[in-house]
Structures are given as structure tokens and as C-alpha cells.
Amino acid sequence: MQKLKMGIIGAGGIAQDRHIPAYQALSDKVEITAIQDLKITKAKEVAEKFTIPNVFTDYEELFEVVDAVTICTPNKFHAEISIAALEAGVHVLCEKPMAITTGECDLMIEAAKKADKCLSIAYHYRFLESVQLAKQTMKEIGDPLVTRVQALRRRKVPGWGVFTNKELQGGGSLIDWGCHFLDTALWLLDEPTAVEVAGTTYNILSKTPNQLNEWGTFDHESFEVDDHVSSYIRFENGASMLFECSWAANIKEDTTNVSISGSTGGLSVFPFEFYQPKHGAFLTTQAKVEEDQEKAGLLQAKNFIESCLGEAELVNKPEQARTVTKIIEAIYKSSEIQSSIKLI
């Protein structure tokens, strides 16, 4: 059986915790042949840990020994490296978000089409069991009317890596974590066209001294990204979305929820429930499904590998990831100018 030769670009936590273990669990279809990182010592350590034969500091040299790459770098470099890989004839799975700007997304899509190679973005929440079940159930809620999304953490700003570096990441809680839930909601809704976005971003909590934070420490004086975002999105078909995400909220407990109300029923995703007026009563249906992030990462890797080998169709299409970036970009702009943004 033909095996896909995979390269890993960026040897940080997401590569070690999600992507490399997933590929090694799928060793009948893929082999990790190379890893690249600007810090050669780190690259060598990860290569030794996972028995990866080739180590590089220059990602362009890595392209010569692989069929595909998984990009695990700061957001700033997603477009640059993806385009270079595609132009070298290499398939690309890029960590989320696709890029910082919509313009960069367009260049990535153009490069993928020109090279006739797979380009996918790692929005792995689509592969969670509850999300998959919700996708199958959407036809039973009728026309989607109002979607409510909340991805809220109680004082959990990532105090490691470059998560709070605006130049490298492009933003904070929205572009890092909220993007997963925005992508999930848009996918469940069958990618409606957003026509207007109004958003407000905050970082007041994270800029105050004497931080109480559960996920490490950070410098409150230099904190420059959003730690809380609220927004309203209106779609061309008349539907709307209330979207909120946060790294640092003064709330009782962490909350993650995607809830969709339709013309004949409704559903919530985390945990999965289905609501419908029927037989003269209000019925609530619950399902026992796992929220297994590791399994979702494995299914994402499997879909990407099989798509590269011509055995499957990509679940995460770049055009859809572009829409997520477009809305994120509009939320940030709306907050900056303190007015809604018309998208069409």
C-alpha cells in the first residue's frame, strides 16, 4: 500500500500532542519522514522522541523529502509556508486559523488550485461525535433562525508560547479558540453568507495587575490581544448568530455551547440535545456521545491523509476556513471603528 510521506513544520505542543501521535496511529497509511523547527535543538529532541529520521531548520529543504506537511507555526507564518509548500507540489494541512487576513487566505487557495494539491485547515471540532451527530440532525430543525455560540473560560489565558503576541498571532481568544466554535457553527448551518458583523473586543481583565490565572503567568503590562469578544452576525438568508468567546471572564465556570433554533426544532451541541414540539408536548432528546479531542484529531488526520491519496474528499475545505477568517477579521475591524461591518 502506498504511504504518504509527512513532514511536520513547527515542533511545539500542538505538533507533539495532536498531530504526530495521530499520524503514528495511522502508520498503515502515513509515515512521518521529517520535522522542521527554527530551533534545531528542539527539532532534534522531538525527532528523537518520536523516531523521525530527518531534521531541518529550513522548511524549504524539508519539502524535498515529503508528500505533505502539517504546519504548526504561529499564525503569522501560516500563509507564507502553506504557499511555499503548495508551490513545491506538497499537500498542506495547516493549523487553525487559516491565516490572519482574508487576502492571505485567497493566496493560499489560489496556490492550492494551481498546484492541484490538497489544502485543509485543522478545525478538528468538526470530527467530534456530538458535532457529527448535530450535522446529521440539522435537517430535522427546519430552517435555522438563531444560533447562539459561547466559548467562555474563567481566567485561563494561555501563559506559554506566543498566544498573547499580537504580531505573531493576529489576536487572542477569538482567533485562537473562538475560531473553532465559529467554524463549527458555520459548518452546521451549511456555510450561510454573512452580510453584516458587529463586534466588540475587550482585554480589561488581562491588563490589570495581580492576575489570578489558571494557565500560567503573563505580563499584564504588555498584554495586547483580546481576552473577551462579543459579536452579532447577520446572514443573507435572514438567520443570525450571537457569538461570544473569552479566555478570561468573571463567570462561575467554563462554558462551551453551540445552540441552534430552527423553524421546526432546535439543538445544542455540547452536550448534544435535540428539542422539538411534538405529540402535544415539548420533547427533549439526549444522546450519549464522547467529546474526545484525541479521537477527533485522529479522524481529521485520517481524512487528510486519504484525501491526499485520492481516497476521500476533504471535510475541512479551505474556502470554508476562509469564511471563518473573514468574519474574525470583520469582528476585529468592527470593534476598532465601533460600527458594524457590511460584508456584501
Side-chain angles (χ1 to χ4, degrees), residues 135 138 185-192:
K135 185 67 172 177
M138 280 297 296
L186 292 171
W187 186 57
L188 292 177
L189 294 170
D190 282 336
E191 307 295 328

Side-chain angles (χ1 to χ4, degrees), residues 123 126 178-188 191 320 324:
Y123 284 118
R126 293 187 181 195
C179 65
H180 272 303
F181 295 86
L182 181 56
D183 174 75
T184 296
L186 292 171
W187 186 57
L188 292 177
E191 307 295 328
Q320 297 168 346
V324 177

Side-chain angles (χ1 to χ4, degrees), residues 297-317:
L298 182 69
L299 292 172
Q300 173 181 255
K302 183 174 183 291
N303 176 252
F304 177 65
I305 293 164
E306 292 178 347
S307 296
C308 293
L309 295 175
E311 300 171 359
E313 180 181 347
L314 285 173
V315 171
N316 292 351
K317 296 178 172 59

